[in-house]
Amino acid sequence: MIPARLLAGLPSLLVVLALSGRSALWSCTDTTAERGEAGVRVRVENTSGQSLGVTAEVVDWRLETHPQVPSEGNKLHFHYRFDGVEGTFGPAVDACAVDRERVALGCATVYSSQARPAPDGSFTGDDWFTLEHPERVAEVLLIPNDQSYDRRTCEQDVKDGGGTHPPDTPRPGEPL
């Protein structure tokens, strides 16, 4: 039997816990998935590391002048392809221009939903990188982690946020 004195203070304790965000019902934790191995062709994976049944591939790349801003000089123009995407909403992966040591020179997220459907069922697209040193590009790599799901963080929403998030997009200078 719980003493009446303890029962009388219980509602106040629950209110304090709820307001402080420390309630057991509202416990919130953020974790970041481990970054997968970058490659020219990758199997896209969710935050648990499981394959989504989709592959992403860098089809080709070259340095050239962007037709809309020729005064800016050479930029990196690359083409990519997603295979196994079902419907119009699919995964996204980070694409990174790297040097010979696989150090990121610049990265951006490419979305299968922004690519165009091809007759063979794949989705193809292209993008441009403005890089400080485009002449140092040795290849363009994709990181297999799906970036399409933007889950709210605990900081944004302590009640509904949290969980495992995709790894951050690499910054210039990070080795892949």
Side-chain angles (χ1 to χ4, degrees):
M1 191 97 193
I2 299 174
R5 213 174 9 194
L6 286 176
L7 286 176
L10 189 58
S12 298
L13 176 63
L14 291 175
V15 167
V16 168
L17 286 173
L19 291 176
S20 71
R22 305 259 190 252
S23 169
L25 298 175
W26 284 2
S27 65
C28 187
T29 57
D30 284 316
T31 57
T32 302
E34 187 173 320
R35 186 178 293 153
E37 181 68 29
V40 173
R41 181 177 168 90
V42 297
R43 290 179 164 255
V44 182
E45 59 190 44
N46 64 17
T47 55
S48 300
Q50 298 171 331
S51 174
L52 298 178
V54 174
T55 58
E57 177 181 12
V58 175
V59 177
D60 70 4
W61 66 270
R62 62 189 164 279
L63 296 176
E64 62 185 2
T65 303
H66 193 291
Q68 294 176 335
V69 284
S71 63
E72 293 183 7
N74 279 344
K75 296 179 180 284
L76 174 72
H77 186 203
F78 69 100
H79 291 83
Y80 57 90
R81 168 187 176 115
F82 285 91
D83 288 303
V85 174
E86 295 181 17
T88 55
F89 296 102
V93 295
D94 286 329
C96 296
V98 297
D99 65 13
R100 278 182 268 162
E101 286 80 39
R102 293 178 57 119
V103 172
L105 301 171
C107 298
T109 304
V110 293
Y111 295 82
S112 62
S113 61
Q114 293 176 337
R116 296 168 297 283
D120 66 359
S122 66
F123 286 80
T124 61
D126 68 305
D127 207 344
W128 295 81
F129 278 128
T130 300
L131 302 167
E132 189 172 337
H133 296 287
E135 71 282 356
R136 292 179 40 202
V137 176
E139 62 184 331
V140 179
L141 301 177
L142 301 174
I143 299 173
N145 306 87
D146 181 16
Q147 298 288 332
S148 65
Y149 183 67
D150 186 22
R151 179 179 295 207
R152 297 185 64 76
T153 65
C154 293
E155 186 176 290
Q156 293 167 325
D157 188 345
V158 71
K159 183 178 175 208
D160 298 322
T164 305
H165 304 276
D168 292 334
T169 298
R171 300 196 188 289
E174 275 189 61
L176 298 183

